[in-house]
Amino acid sequence: MFQVTRIPAARLLGAAALSVATLASLSAAHPAAAAGTGASAGAGSGVPAGDHLTVTVRDAGPAADGTFELHCNPAGGSHPDPEGACAAAERDTRWGQDTFAPVPEGSVCTMQYGGPATAHVTGIWAGRPVDVTYDRRDGCEISRWDRMVPLLPEVGAPGRS
């Protein structure tokens, strides 16, 4: 015969309530992401509507280094190629995937050095907050960087002009 006592039943009920609360918090929209999107986000607020990113590039060369603002939908800002940069980010945008995802853990990468260039990208893309760093320390990171050109500057191999 199976007997249910109050203590295990209470623990089970508490675990179920905690699970529901966790799922509800995960499905809620992030307030910072929701604040920057929508048709009325830029109306009179000084904040541009649509996607916007700040790209800071270091050690990529005098013509490429700096901090650039990028606004998409419509394209604009201080980025040298706003249309191309927006297209580069849009090209990898897929529902349920992170456009700016890091190289997956455990990836096998070639041992090559792509130079000292680094980039830091922050802002809002596809309604989600972005805070990501790029470098060129190995083959996987070089490929990840190159996939985002012209959002990130095109950088050749060290020693080449």
Side-chain angles (χ1 to χ4, degrees):
M1 191 183 274
F2 184 71
Q3 182 178 6
V4 177
T5 63
R6 287 185 184 185
I7 294 174
R11 286 183 183 161
L12 181 60
L13 185 57
L18 183 60
S19 296
V20 169
T22 301
L23 287 174
S25 69
L26 290 175
S27 65
H30 188 282
T37 61
S40 63
S45 67
V47 177
D51 298 317
H52 61 278
L53 299 171
T54 301
V55 181
T56 302
V57 180
R58 301 274 184 256
D59 301 319
D65 287 356
T67 298
F68 309 97
E69 295 295 323
L70 175 67
H71 307 286
C72 298
N73 305 317
S78 63
H79 192 281
D81 182 4
E83 290 85 9
C86 291
E90 187 66 38
R91 178 177 56 233
D92 283 340
T93 301
R94 304 281 184 278
W95 179 258
Q97 295 179 359
D98 183 0
T99 304
F100 303 96
V103 173
E105 289 278 331
S107 294
V108 177
C109 304
T110 58
M111 292 179 58
Q112 66 188 90
Y113 181 61
T118 62
H120 186 211
V121 180
T122 59
I124 301 292
W125 184 259
R128 299 178 72 186
V130 174
D131 187 354
V132 63
T133 301
Y134 289 84
D135 61 42
R136 299 178 60 82
R137 69 177 168 247
D138 62 33
C140 294
E141 293 294 344
I142 292 169
S143 176
R144 181 173 170 250
W145 178 296
D146 289 348
R147 194 173 56 248
M148 295 308 261
V149 170
L151 174 67
L152 303 178
E154 187 166 2
V155 179
R160 291 188 185 169
S161 48

